[in-house]
């Protein structure tokens, strides 16, 4: 294994940022294609920014956030947090007792690492489930988490969603929906209802996934539960700060589900061509992806120093260095998914035709194949 732990992943991420800066300085912004589907956007006017310098700004933005946030997520009250992970942590700390229990249902494992990690702090029992026919809510469970769309955008269907919520509620167990990207994928692409409309007590979404907001989280749900989470969050500094709240509000105002739907045709055409040539590509709601095991098989990698994850990291760094394409395995936080995903709903996708993207995919896969048997060179590409 080349990338052995989160420290290595931090170094890989630092390297990716160094490469992005290098391309920016030598070739300019137009040579970089951010296809992560994470925008890190900060839409704000000078007037907004001037207001931020006083407490008048936060007072106004917070009130508007209630209106826009409820439009987006439903529920009785919303609350902005520093990240989706912060909202998950605050909820678990607020609802689950020490040695308690959390059950988590999702389309495909694994769940976001912030969920088991939060449980661990409380020494709470934590189990993940993917099969509705083999799922039962335990008497002792304190919280049911449902992931709407997982890190690879695999999405649960609405019937399963409803069944799970009914199961939990017949035993008075609260439901938190991790709808990081699901709040938009489920509703805009699959026409599902909002999590709160389906009966969820709490929902959290990521404000930079498939919308132009900053890295941040937005929670919504029942007022008493939101107040409980809010009180816990502020004790540990997990709440969003005024500059983020402003940018979250602007991102919500800018959000238009049509933009997501427009990526669908482009995706289908791209997938069809790729699928004829390679057997490792899968469709996502708004793009295509290659999972680590699938690339390993397709390239027939026999180098035992390289794990399937390493091979995806290698491809991600080659995509970046050689073609200026940013994907999550290059810049993601430690323990983020190593799936290489090309998100055609990402704003930069407009600057790249399918033909151009295909050429870039072909040439980088060729480079991966050339270098994958050379562990020293591969490690250098990922970390230097
Ligand atoms: C991205 C994501 C998160 C975490 O979001 P952060 O902003 O990194 O905290 C949690 N759950 C799912 C399903 C995600 O996709």
């Amino acid at each position: 294994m080349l990338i052995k732990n989160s420290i290595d992943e931090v170094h890989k991420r630092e390297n990716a940022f160094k490469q992005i800066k290098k391309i920016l300085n030598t070739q300019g912004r137009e040579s970089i294609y951010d296809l992560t589907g994470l925008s890190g956007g900060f839409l704000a006017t000078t007037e907004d920014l001037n207001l931020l310098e006083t407490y008048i700004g936060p007072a106004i933005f917070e009130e508007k956030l209630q209106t826009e946030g409820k439009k987006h997520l439903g529920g009785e009250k919303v609350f902005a947090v520093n990240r989706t992970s912060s909202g998950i942590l605050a909820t678990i700390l607020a609802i689950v007792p020490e040695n308690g229990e959390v059950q988590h249902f999702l389309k495909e494992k694994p769940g976001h690492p912030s969920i088991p990690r939060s449980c661990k702090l409380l020494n709470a029992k934590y189990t993940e489930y993917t099969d509705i026919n083999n799922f039962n809510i335990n008497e002792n469970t304190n919280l049911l988490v449902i992931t709407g769309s997982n890190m690879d955008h695999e999405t649960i269907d609405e019937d399963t969603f409803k069944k799970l919520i009914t199961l939990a509620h017949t035993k008075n167990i609260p439901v938190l929906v991790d709808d990081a990207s699901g709040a938009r994928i489920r509703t805009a692409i699959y026409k599902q209802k909002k999590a709160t409309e389906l009966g969820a007590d709490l929902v959290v979404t990521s404000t930079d996934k498939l919308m132009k907001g900053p890295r941040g989280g937005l929670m919504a749900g029942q007022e008493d539960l939101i107040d409980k989470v809010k009180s816990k969050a502020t004790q540990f500094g997990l709440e969003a700060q005024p500059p983020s709240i402003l940018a979250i509000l602007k991102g919500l105002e800018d959000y238009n589900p049509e933009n997501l739907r427009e990526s669908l045709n482009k995706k289908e055409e791209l997938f069809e061509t790729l699928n004829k040539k390679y057997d490792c590509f899968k469709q996502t709601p708004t793009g295509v992806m290659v999972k680590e095991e699938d690339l390993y098989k397709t390239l027939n990698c026999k180098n035992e120093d390289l794990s399937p994850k390493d091979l995806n990291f290698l491809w991600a760094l080659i995509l970046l260095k050689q073609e200026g394409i940013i994907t999550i395995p290059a810049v993601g936080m430690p323990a983020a998914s190593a799936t290489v995903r090309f998100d055609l709903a990402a704003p930069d996708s407009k600057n790249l035709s399918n033909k151009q993207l295909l050429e870039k995919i072909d040439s980088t896969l060729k480079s991966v194949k050339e270098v994958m048997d050379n562990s020293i060179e591969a490690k250098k590409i990922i970390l230097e």
Side-chain angles (χ1 to χ4, degrees), residues 31-75:
S31 299
I32 300 177
Y33 307 96
D34 180 346
L35 301 186
T36 57
L38 307 174
S39 69
F42 201 103
L43 306 171
T45 63
T46 315
E47 202 181 326
D48 295 329
L49 293 175
N50 287 340
L51 271 179
L52 259 189
E53 289 174 17
T54 68
Y55 272 98
I56 303 167
I60 296 169
F61 307 143
E62 296 240 12
E63 201 193 302
K64 282 194 185 162
L65 184 76
Q66 288 299 325
T67 315
E68 287 298 320
K70 279 190 265 187
K71 241 193 253 167
H72 196 66
L73 294 178

Side-chain angles (χ1 to χ4, degrees), residues 167-185:
L167 275 175
H169 284 175
T170 48
K171 294 194 175 154
N172 287 323
I173 291 157
V175 177
L176 164 70
V177 176
D178 176 359
D179 235 0
S181 48
R184 286 158 299 288
I185 289 177

Side-chain angles (χ1 to χ4, degrees), residues 38 82-88 104 106 110-115 147-153 178-182 204-209 214-217 328 333 341:
L38 307 174
N82 187 45
R83 275 176 54 185
T84 300
S85 301
S86 323
I88 288 168
H104 182 187
L106 67 174
H112 191 268
S114 61
I115 305 170
T147 289
S149 300
N150 73 5
M151 292 185 276
D152 292 338
H153 293 180
D178 176 359
D179 235 0
S181 48
V204 60
T205 194
S206 166
T207 57
D208 78 336
K209 290 186 175 161
R215 189 70 174 253
I328 290 176
M333 304 276 177
R341 186 158 53 76

